[in-house]
Amino acid sequence: MNKNRLAFLILLAGMLTQEAFAGEGIRLHARAGYSVGATSPIGVPDGVSGIDAFRLTPSFAVGLDATYGLEGRWAVAVGLRYERKAMDADISAQSYHMELRKGTDAIEGVFTGHVSQQVGLTMLSVPIYALWQASPKWHLKAGPYLSLLLTKDFSGTASDGYLRQGGPTGPKITIGDTPDTWATYDFSDEMRSLQMGITLGVDWQALPRLALSLDLGIGLTGIFPSSFSTVEQPLYPLYGTVGVCYNIL
Amino acid sequence: MNNNIITINRGCAIVVSALCLLLGSCSKEEKLNTECDMLSAWVEGEEYEQYFYRTADMRVENISSTTTEVVFTVRSMSELPAALPVYFTLTDGAIVSPASGSLQDFTAGPVTYTVTSEDKSNHRQYTVLFRQHDTVATPTYTYSFEGVDSTDDGIMGNVYHVFYEQTAGGERNYIWASGNLGVSLVHTEWMPADFPTRSVADGYQGKGVCLSTQDAGALGAMMGKPIAAGNLFIGTFDLEQVVVDPLKSTVFGTPTTQEPVSLSGYYKYQPGETFTNASGETLAGRTDEASVYAVFFRNQNEAGEPVVLYGDDVLTSPYVVKKAVVASLPPTDEWTRFEVSFEGGSADAELLASLGYSMTIVFSSSKNGDTFEGAIGSTLYIDEVTVTYTNE
């Protein structure tokens, strides 16, 4: 049996066995999951010479989805999620553009040293996605989402290095490694309140009413508006969620 | 964590980046250095020692990131050979033109060197000059504070005053330093009158100096430095240490071949209303005081290594030979004379002749401003400060 033939048989089997979603009407699922991910630039930005540590930070998503069956293997769904997306990373920076700010005072320049970055966001998200039943147990999902941020934290410390005001030829200020002598930054208030992106995922029907799910949320909007220039590279939330999905009705 | 090195080009897929972050270890191709500093400069060769007072004077170490002028002090400019090799250490990867160690003629004036960063994107120009030590022939020297430059920080649009003395050869010698550079870090488009240390038109005679203690702003408070006292001193201000160890940012003294006897001058002073500590808390019952003092000290140790005094040991270092501390400066709105004698030991004549001693004079609008205690609004005016020397 060659590979093409095998593929054809699997496809045929799928078509024969599935009327899947058709005629199911609206079904309601509760979802809960644990998320792991990062708020990351595309590629490694100039100025980041290494990532020294990346700590898993409690992130989760809970919510409800309403699924409406269409013809054949297709269904559409809309959900409401309460999510937390967080990260905690230690970065080695080399001439990394940044701004230290408190109130109206600011020192802007490039930093070489250690950056400890925290990102913590809680949000209400509305995903809209299409489901496609690949087999009785496997459902593939894809679609856009929109998130309204409820709380925002983008802050950190710069330590054990030096800041050069204005740029690489500017005045040099040593930054220490104790709370008295390191520098903190906080751009939480600069963050966007709305984010959008796409989710890709798969559900595996483990039990008649219970599925296990794996989802990847890819932010398409940077977490800062483009008018905010202090963080030079756009940062996108990228989170994977492992979860369960329970069919309520 | 795995130690795989994932080489990533800009613009690669989001997912790769996410994976990279999740794996917790990744790095780009080694980034080329963007900095281009001259870190130290020296003249090498025993045959050149005769032109200097001490071998230590053949080296200029720890060139500040805010300096682009490197000065070697020599015995005599007229005896200096027309070709001297000056060597440099630079930021890693940077190059200098003319080359380090190349023979240059410094007798005709400063020589300009250009340092270029490893990635070729940045340049800094440094002027290297040789200067004959100014030996004061008069029994007294009066600092009148008439020599004032307005310096633009070139970054934040701040302009502040710096004070200089005129050398016998008519050059400007920037022996005076202040904390203005530190203050300009956190402000934008401040003019000279906004700074804690500034020149004023109505001194005791001609121009004078006004020092006032200011609110250091939110960023200063965040770093445990809620106030900035106006200060002026002979020495240099090392911005690099201002956050980590602020007492090390005031580097005191300039070499002298004369032994001081007394310090006098004119002042006006009014303390600010509310005395606060480094945490910004009000200390009831405390009144701010101004401080004026001068210190004469040995500038090298037994091994011939340079000694500098900082904010934390300028009055207490074992290298202090004698000092003149004005005991009190009662508040007054009239120009009032102060005079105080130097007390302590005396100088060794031979060491004195070979520039082995330095002197500093220090003025501050808040006596404990170095530890960020004082009252915002305290204002000290200073003018016509005279040092009397032993030689007649």
Side-chain angles (χ1 to χ4, degrees):
Chain A
M1 199 184 288
N2 67 35
K3 276 184 185 169
N4 283 339
R5 200 161 167 191
L6 179 65
F8 174 76
L9 282 178
I10 290 171
L11 197 62
L12 187 69
M15 290 170 80
L16 289 174
T17 51
Q18 284 313 312
E19 288 290 298
F21 297 115
E24 280 183 351
I26 293 175
R27 303 186 74 169
L28 208 56
H29 296 87
R31 287 183 179 272
Y34 181 81
S35 304
V36 172
T39 300
S40 165
I42 297 175
V44 179
D46 277 352
V48 171
S49 53
I51 293 160
D52 305 325
F54 188 85
R55 287 177 287 277
L56 295 181
T57 309
S59 298
F60 60 87
V62 293
L64 285 175
D65 286 6
T67 309
Y68 180 70
L70 301 172
E71 289 304 307
R73 295 157 164 264
W74 292 90
V76 290
V78 58
L80 182 66
R81 303 246 198 293
Y82 177 68
E83 295 181 277
R84 177 173 164 80
K85 293 181 178 177
M87 72 170 247
D88 187 348
D90 290 348
I91 297 159
S92 288
Q94 187 187 341
S95 294
Y96 184 63
H97 184 255
M98 62 162 25
E99 187 180 71
L100 307 179
R101 184 157 7 147
K102 187 81 177 178
T104 56
D105 297 345
I107 307 178
E108 181 257 332
V110 294
F111 178 73
T112 298
H114 179 88
V115 175
S116 185
Q117 169 74 59
Q118 281 92 47
V119 181
L121 307 172
T122 58
M123 58 189 82
L124 278 179
S125 299
V126 178
I128 299 169
Y129 56 93
L131 280 114
W132 184 71
Q133 193 167 40
S135 80
K137 291 209 162 189
W138 293 92
H139 296 179
L140 301 180
K141 305 172 289 184
Y145 69 82
L146 188 70
S147 298
L148 172 69
L149 272 67
L150 304 174
T151 65
K152 302 182 278 191
D153 175 27
F154 185 95
S155 62
T157 59
S159 62
D160 203 12
Y162 58 88
L163 180 79
R164 297 200 72 151
Q165 191 186 22
T169 60
K172 191 174 185 175
I173 303 123
T174 303
I175 305 289
D177 53 9
T178 61
D180 283 349
T181 60
W182 68 35
T184 58
Y185 58 90
D186 188 340
F187 301 131
S188 305
D189 294 340
E190 310 292 340
M191 301 179 90
R192 281 182 200 271
S193 291
L194 275 178
Q195 295 182 350
M196 57 156 287
I198 54 169
T199 52
L200 301 172
V202 57
D203 288 347
W204 178 66
Q205 204 67 42
L207 296 168
R209 279 181 172 268
L210 189 74
L212 301 181
S213 67
L214 186 65
D215 294 279
L216 179 65
I218 302 169
L220 295 180
T221 46
I223 60 171
F224 294 108
S226 54
S227 58
F228 179 69
S229 61
T230 303
V231 177
E232 281 177 324
Q233 293 83 10
L235 300 174
Y236 302 95
L238 304 162
Y239 283 81
T241 306
V242 181
V244 293
C245 170
Y246 183 75
N247 181 199
I248 300 170
L249 65 132
Chain B
M1 297 300 154
N2 80 35
N3 290 319
N4 288 343
I5 303 297
I6 303 169
T7 304
I8 290 175
N9 298 315
R10 283 172 69 74
C12 77
I14 293 170
V15 179
V16 175
S17 171
L19 272 175
C20 156
L21 280 172
L22 290 170
L23 289 172
S25 168
C26 72
S27 106
K28 290 215 302 183
E29 287 164 58
E30 193 60 31
K31 195 185 159 195
L32 296 178
N33 205 321
T34 55
E35 294 173 273
C36 48
D37 298 305
M38 189 176 278
L39 304 172
S40 64
W42 70 96
V43 176
E44 202 169 287
E46 279 181 21
E47 66 270 37
Y48 302 114
E49 283 180 11
Q50 58 182 303
Y51 305 112
F52 295 86
Y53 284 91
R54 303 163 297 174
T55 53
D57 294 332
M58 294 170 75
R59 302 189 73 88
V60 179
E61 303 281 2
N62 303 322
I63 299 170
S64 162
S65 63
T66 55
T67 301
T68 53
E69 188 182 74
V70 176
V71 183
F72 288 96
T73 302
V74 291
R75 291 175 181 273
S76 162
M77 279 305 282
S78 57
E79 289 168 15
L80 201 67
L84 267 175
V86 179
Y87 294 82
F88 306 104
T89 51
L90 310 168
T91 312
D92 285 346
I95 53 167
V96 62
S97 173
S100 175
S102 63
L103 291 171
Q104 303 293 330
D105 180 4
F106 295 92
T107 59
V111 174
T112 301
Y113 291 81
T114 303
V115 182
T116 303
S117 64
E118 185 181 31
D119 75 343
K120 307 283 185 278
S121 67
N122 294 307
H123 308 273
R124 294 191 80 184
Q125 290 200 325
Y126 288 81
T127 53
V128 176
L129 61 104
F130 285 66
R131 182 183 285 157
Q132 188 171 323
H133 181 73
D134 227 3
T135 42
V136 184
T138 54
T140 64
Y141 184 88
T142 298
Y143 299 97
S144 294
F145 308 106
E146 303 302 322
V148 182
D149 261 357
S150 291
T151 293
D152 189 327
D153 71 358
I155 297 170
M156 307 286 277
N158 296 310
V159 180
Y160 56 87
H161 286 151
V162 289
F163 296 84
Y164 62 85
E165 297 299 315
Q166 217 58 266
T167 67
E171 287 178 80
R172 292 176 176 190
N173 194 2
Y174 294 91
I175 62 167
W176 294 103
S178 77
N180 280 352
L181 187 59
V183 172
S184 84
L185 263 185
V186 295
H187 295 289
T188 310
E189 293 177 356
W190 269 30
M191 290 298 108
D194 301 323
F195 280 86
T197 301
R198 57 194 183 270
S199 171
V200 286
D202 50 343
Y204 178 71
Q205 279 176 19
K207 287 182 252 181
V209 182
C210 176
L211 308 172
S212 61
T213 302
Q214 295 186 348
D215 185 335
L219 211 54
M222 179 179 89
M223 295 174 183
K225 301 159 184 69
I227 62 163
N231 61 12
L232 186 70
F233 57 94
I234 294 177
T236 55
F237 184 82
D238 182 5
L239 184 69
E240 203 163 328
Q241 299 303 323
V242 76
V243 170
V244 172
D245 193 357
L247 290 173
K248 286 281 189 286
S249 63
T250 45
V251 185
F252 293 111
T254 190
T256 178
T257 49
Q258 293 194 292
E259 184 177 345
V261 174
S262 69
L263 174 76
S264 63
Y266 294 85
Y267 83 98
K268 294 192 285 186
Y269 186 65
Q270 284 300 338
E273 277 182 22
T274 309
F275 192 93
T276 53
N277 64 13
S279 309
E281 299 155 351
T282 301
L283 301 184
R286 290 280 296 271
T287 303
D288 206 359
E289 294 174 74
S291 81
V292 173
Y293 58 86
V295 178
F296 178 74
F297 61 96
R298 280 182 57 187
N299 60 24
Q300 56 184 353
N301 63 18
E302 287 68 19
E305 294 159 342
V307 169
V308 285
L309 302 188
Y310 299 101
D312 54 0
D313 67 349
V314 61
L315 290 167
T316 56
S317 163
Y319 293 97
V320 171
V321 176
K322 48 163 66 172
K323 56 193 174 191
V325 182
V326 180
S328 79
L329 295 155
T332 171
D333 290 324
E334 300 297 320
W335 284 105
T336 305
R337 191 165 191 275
F338 62 83
E339 179 164 15
V340 61
S341 296
F342 278 83
E343 288 178 8
S346 58
D348 172 81
E350 198 182 326
L351 194 57
L352 188 62
S354 65
L355 280 189
Y357 295 92
S358 287
M359 189 182 71
T360 184
I361 307 173
V362 182
F363 311 103
S364 176
S365 56
S366 291
K367 193 176 186 173
N368 299 328
D370 52 357
T371 53
F372 306 101
E373 287 186 346
I376 290 165
S378 294
T379 304
L380 172 69
Y381 291 86
I382 288 290
D383 202 7
E384 304 304 316
V385 174
T386 300
V387 178
T388 308
Y389 297 102
T390 46
N391 58 319
E392 293 295 327

